[in-house]
Amino acid sequence: MAAALLLCAALSLGARREKVKVSTDAFWVNPNLKGTPQPKPTITPWASRPRKERGPAPYVPPSDWVYNTTGGPVEGKINVHLVPHSHDDTGWQVTVDQYFYEQVYYILDTLLVRLNEDPNRRFMFVETAFFARWWDQQPASKQALMKTLVERGQLEFINGGWCMHDEASPYYVEMVDQTTRGHQFLKKQFGRVAAPKGTWSIDPFGHSNTNAWLLGAEAGMEFEFWGRMDYQDFNMRVDSKGLEWVWQGSQSLGDSAQIFAGQLFGGGHGGYGTWFGFDGSSPQVQDDPSRHDYNVDQLVDQFIQHAQQQAKSYQTEHQMWACGDDFNYQNADHWYHNLDKLIHYVNKNGTVNAFYSTPSIYVDQKKKANLTWEVRQDDIFPLGDADHHYWSGYFTSRPSLKRQVHMASNFLNAARQLEVISGVTAEQVNAPTERPSPPVGPSWTDSLEGTVGVATHHDGMSGTERQDVSDDYEQRISESHGEVEEGVALSLQKILGVNATFEHCNCNSMGGDNCLNISMCGLTTTESQFTVVAWNPLGRSSAQVVTVPVVGPNWSVSVNGAAVTSQTTELDNRTLSIPGLYLNFYNMTADQAAAARAALANNATHALSFDLKLPALGYVTVTAQKQSTSKAVAKAAKAVRAKVGDTLSISNSAYELTFDTTTGRTASLKNLASGATIPLVTTIGWYNSSVGGCTTDPGTDPQHMCDDQRSGAYIFRSNTSQVFFPGPATVPTLEVVQGTLVSEVRQVFSPWATAVYRLWQGRAHVEVEWTVGPIPMDTPWVPAVAPGMPNLWGKEVIVRYSSGMQSGGVFYTDSNGREMVKRQYNKRGPSYPPLVVNEPVAGNYYPVNAMISVQNTTHEMAVLTDVSQAGSSLQDGAVELMVHRRLQDDDGRGVQEPLNETMCGCNDINAGEAQMGEHGHEGDGGCWCEGLTMRGRHLLMFDTIEQVNQQRRQAMEELSFPATLAFSKGLLSPQNPTASFLAQELPAGLKLLTLTSNYAGINDGKLLLRVAHLYGAGESSAMSVPINVNFTAVFAKQGLTVTSMDETQLTGTYSLSEMDAKKHKWQTFDPTGGAVLKQLHETKAFNKRYPFDVTDFTVTVRPMEVRTFLVTFQ
């Protein structure tokens, strides 16, 4: 993620590292440890004494030059666990393959030799995507040696996921999938011995509860360590031995899902290095007194001083030093030769004890201490590393990649299901990905699984990589997506009993071709009759609306010969304009540009929508046929421009949404069932991105108002809390479409900021489709800061929903699509120190993966989102979501590019840090494109707290996991036009999370099956209860009849009973005087797991719990 250091030094919490030049005497002053008090030497270096006064050297090499590296914990001494590691980003400044071939290959290759030289040496490795690349290129002899090292515990896999995933952007589904993939690869190659014992989340820019309890405790992890936490929290804890605690992150599973957690000390201020480093040309340990630059006595003294300093910040006499940094150990001899010496001489000194170790060995000593540890539930969001440095911008950065990963994940899971049911093999599909992910299983879904997995990296879908690396992630997903599309098509042919070609409109083509999100689909707009197959990946039946683009208003739609409710709606100009934005018109004449734009045009005129009842884990076949006016079944609806002063409202059976035509804004929302009404004002606006300066908003700490920190890919910092109108101030225009299936109001704030509000019949939510972009770089409607110069202002675009509810500054955000977490404006949770406010906007932003809500004493307003975004509530009753960003400065965290995306997927060339590019403005270097335009959906719900809490989870499922669609020409007559492959639906509130055969070869032919409880404890009186499911009753259809089930921990690596049996019971206390205990007991947790009944395959699933099985079907 950052350039490799000459020193293995930790920087301040979260600060990106840059290359530094270090002099030969830099052991005492490390430029990466700014502001951190460093120990002073207690000796006069032997080499600097006058020659006559020196006497014998205090340390001399052993006569055979073999250093003593044996050893382990010694009771009564400070024990320093030296943990060799390398942090290897699976993409950041260059792509995952470039990092592998240029750096990581040599890390693993040289480790193999150096570890084998000395059985005391150890190393921990994290990113299985890299290890798999290396493994696949090795001869059997090297593989055998690596297996020996793993069996001896010298090479230990920690975390072991395909990558070190981001914790703010992914949905829990993506996090589980990529971790499982990595663990299954390790199981395939090494067996049970390689199963990771803990997580090593050293570089993500904040840490979620879900990662701790689900990807940690429920995956069999015993610990989680990281290198970044909030600086105010760190400063409180570093002097009170509070940098490690027991994290009880789940409100629902309580103490059954605890994990030991902590912040690495680094060089004294966090980070994931330590005070010394021996990579490359950095200073080395010189212990030969007959040579120049003898320094071993200095280093031993400093080693002791640092150990004694660190001992003040941790309980027990054990401390862990992370010996490594980004892409270290490419010549592992540098590190091991020097560490061997340090261990030898430090232990000869005897003041402290040092030895090679791993995090697992370290935590074993924490268990043996039998101490009482602080218990904590709060997550680590947002992370600040200084007064104005809040890492909350990346919650939204690169929204198109975030969207692509989430959409591909849903398609992947549907494809896995179809593969299991159809039995179609990769050989039959015969469309292998040209540059596949390193394989784990033989499935035609395997490569997509890998490319989605690597994109969840904390410098991947987080949006904090360079533009060409983001393009690489997207290309990998698109290429492997094609193979899966072929597999889905073949599976549907087999299941339906048809010999037809199926196509997809998954936004997976060049430009805007075949992208339903912008009403583009080549097949539906060129055919007068076509067939749609809609596959429901959910384990329960689902009512979903499907919308496809067509030409003309007159259509009929039917399922099994029966007409279904449908409607055609004229496409708006905004939608029709989007395909033309993909044009790169660099060096084009005006005529050439016009011709190219015409070639990109969408020839659709209408959107055809139809209401479907989809069976659980099944499909329906829909036919659509163009008709004359008299035969049309779909009701046509036209847009009518609203006049100022008109009464304007739309309604369905659940809501009435009213607009104020004098302001052009929404005015109120009424729940028709309860009669409750709230004022509702929706705004699209933007914050001005800071380029450094002073934050003067009310409430800001007056002692710390100014800083040169800029807003960038990682950091969000607004100049003020003012939200600007998206263009010259005007009244937004309104158009209304009244229809039988859907009514909508189209709102235009400006040419680059629009919204459509829809009320679908039978749906208890308001759909808000927002479209933002191209965000202009110049801001000519605002008085110029420098007369005669453009106002090149960065813009952080939000959608705000203001309800007027008295929410008391409290709001709730989801954690990776799992539990809701309570937030409070300008405050942190009870385990934090009182917040010193210095960024009243950015410091109150949190990741929102699925929903955000506010409530008063009786009612709640929830906003659901279809892609991860930054969100907050800065005023009572209001929620806002940052939907897009376009910036013109770099934030100095190492990516060295402004976050300035275009529709062409390119940015200016030769971009230096904090620079736009070679000539300082867009359009140079062959990239002359419009800025990235984004479209997404929010679902707005308003009702009593109980009703919203009960309904929002199902709405979230249908928004995030919609039906997978396939299209075929003509009117198909399949042998099996509709089917469900479950004998009975899963119980309400239980999700079919995973069904895949990709790992069957690793698990004796057994398939991986997961179910997840959708509700958290205390969320809904009706639904937040344990759910009993009998899998024999659910899976009883031919071809999918369950015959055996073995329960495992989350990743299918080993049995759940083994995991629970070895789980350590930590003794805990609350240092806050009861505030944390009150938080922990705010809802009644389900601390005890219900056992799986192996006789009739029945299990009871606790709220929020995920249960994993290896199964066989007949």
Side-chain angles (χ1 to χ4, degrees), residues 857-903:
T857 57
T858 58
H859 286 75
E860 176 180 336
M861 181 179 73
V863 180
L864 283 60
T865 178
D866 64 349
V867 68
S868 295
Q869 295 167 342
S872 188
S873 175
L874 303 182
Q875 298 89 26
D876 253 15
V879 299
E880 60 185 58
L881 290 161
M882 185 185 291
V883 298
H884 201 356
R885 317 176 73 207
R886 193 178 193 189
L887 313 179
Q888 300 183 37
D889 282 280
D890 177 64
D891 53 19
R893 291 307 195 270
V895 75
Q896 299 176 355
E897 281 183 356
L899 185 68
N900 183 15
E901 296 185 278
T902 69
M903 292 294 281

Side-chain angles (χ1 to χ4, degrees), residues 335-348:
W335 267 102
Y336 284 116
H337 186 57
N338 286 280
L339 288 175
D340 286 354
K341 291 180 181 181
L342 281 178
I343 292 171
H344 178 90
Y345 292 116
V346 166
N347 290 342
K348 284 186 74 68

Side-chain angles (χ1 to χ4, degrees), residues 99-374:
Y99 273 137
F100 172 68
Y101 284 113
E102 295 171 5
Q103 301 186 61
V104 181
Y105 182 93
Y106 302 101
I107 294 172
L108 287 163
D109 225 42
T110 62
L111 278 173
L112 191 70
V113 177
R114 298 308 168 200
L115 289 176
N116 193 49
E117 287 176 342
D118 183 350
N120 298 302
R121 290 174 176 171
R122 296 179 183 272
F123 194 85
M124 51 158 287
F125 199 83
V126 173
E127 299 86 0
T128 306
F130 278 137
F131 186 86
R133 282 168 164 80
W134 179 86
W135 181 266
D136 289 348
Q137 297 180 8
Q138 302 312 307
S141 58
K142 279 190 173 183
Q143 291 182 345
L145 179 55
M146 186 62 81
K147 285 184 178 181
T148 299
L149 295 173
V150 172
E151 289 167 358
R152 293 198 307 228
Q154 287 186 260
L155 180 69
E156 181 174 345
F157 294 98
I158 302 291
N159 188 337
W162 206 238
C163 67
M164 186 185 294
H165 59 234
D166 181 34
E167 297 182 37
S169 303
Y171 212 68
Y172 74 102
V173 178
E174 290 100 61
M175 297 163 75
V176 170
D177 274 353
Q178 81 85 19
T179 305
T180 300
R181 180 175 178 83
H183 288 194
Q184 287 293 315
F185 177 88
L186 298 177
K187 183 178 182 180
K188 176 181 179 181
Q189 305 301 342
F190 303 104
R192 172 67 180 86
V193 68
K197 299 177 183 177
T199 66
W200 186 254
S201 304
I202 55 173
D203 200 29
F205 327 119
H207 306 284
S208 75
N209 286 336
T210 298
N211 195 69
W213 70 262
L214 180 59
L215 280 302
E218 290 295 273
M221 306 295 190
E222 300 178 356
F223 55 84
E224 178 177 5
F225 292 107
W226 53 80
R228 306 174 189 276
M229 64 185 290
D230 183 77
Y231 75 109
Q232 294 185 36
D233 195 22
F234 182 93
N235 292 339
M236 175 190 74
R237 294 173 173 278
V238 70
D239 295 325
S240 60
K241 298 194 174 185
L243 291 177
E244 294 174 336
W245 57 84
V246 172
W247 197 351
Q248 186 171 313
S250 173
Q251 305 159 2
S252 303
L253 303 188
D255 62 15
S256 70
Q258 291 179 341
I259 190 170
F260 189 82
Q263 165 74 40
L264 298 175
F265 191 73
H269 223 181
Y272 50 79
T274 190
W275 58 272
F276 58 76
F278 302 113
D279 215 53
S281 59
S282 56
Q284 309 289 297
V285 180
Q286 211 292 74
D287 63 338
D288 186 348
S290 67
R291 302 296 178 194
H292 288 283
D293 305 318
Y294 178 91
N295 61 22
V296 66
D297 57 337
Q298 294 175 268
L299 288 178
V300 169
D301 180 60
Q302 192 175 18
F303 191 107
I304 295 168
Q305 303 309 312
H306 276 276
Q308 291 174 340
Q309 179 194 47
Q310 184 166 338
K312 299 174 184 177
S313 297
Y314 289 86
Q315 295 194 71
T316 84
E317 58 195 14
H318 293 268
Q319 55 187 251
M320 179 165 56
W321 292 15
C323 298
D325 212 289
D326 290 1
F327 301 101
N328 277 203
Y329 293 81
Q330 292 178 52
N331 182 348
D333 199 33
H334 282 279
W335 267 102
Y336 284 116
H337 186 57
N338 286 280
L339 288 175
D340 286 354
K341 291 180 181 181
L342 281 178
I343 292 171
H344 178 90
Y345 292 116
V346 166
N347 290 342
K348 284 186 74 68
N349 176 281
T351 305
V352 302
N353 180 49
F355 53 95
Y356 284 116
S357 187
T358 67
S360 301
I361 296 171
Y362 173 71
V363 173
D364 283 343
Q365 295 301 316
K366 297 290 179 173
K367 295 177 189 175
K368 292 178 182 178
N370 199 29
L371 296 179
T372 301
W373 299 87
E374 175 188 353

Side-chain angles (χ1 to χ4, degrees), residues 246 375 502 505 514 522 526 534 662 699 709 757 797 826 883 929 935 949 987 1006 1073 1077:
V246 172
V375 65
F502 286 99
C505 294
N514 292 322
T526 57
T662 61
Q709 178 61 57
Y757 304 84
V797 183
N826 276 348
V883 298
C929 305
R935 170 171 285 181
N949 286 1
K1006 297 175 181 178
L1077 288 178

Side-chain angles (χ1 to χ4, degrees), residues 5 115 130 191 198 233 328 597 641 677 737 774 791 830 941 943 960 1010 1019 1022 1110:
L5 287 181
L115 289 176
F130 278 137
D233 195 22
N328 277 203
R597 188 171 282 111
R641 178 74 173 265
T677 302
V737 179
N791 273 345
M941 308 179 78
D943 207 330
S960 293
R1010 282 196 195 93
E1019 186 173 3
L1110 294 174

Side-chain angles (χ1 to χ4, degrees), residues 573-594:
N573 290 332
R574 173 72 152 148
T575 296
L576 292 172
S577 71
I578 292 175
L581 300 177
Y582 284 95
L583 178 63
N584 184 347
F585 45 93
Y586 180 74
N587 273 349
M588 282 188 178
T589 66
D591 289 342
Q592 288 172 329

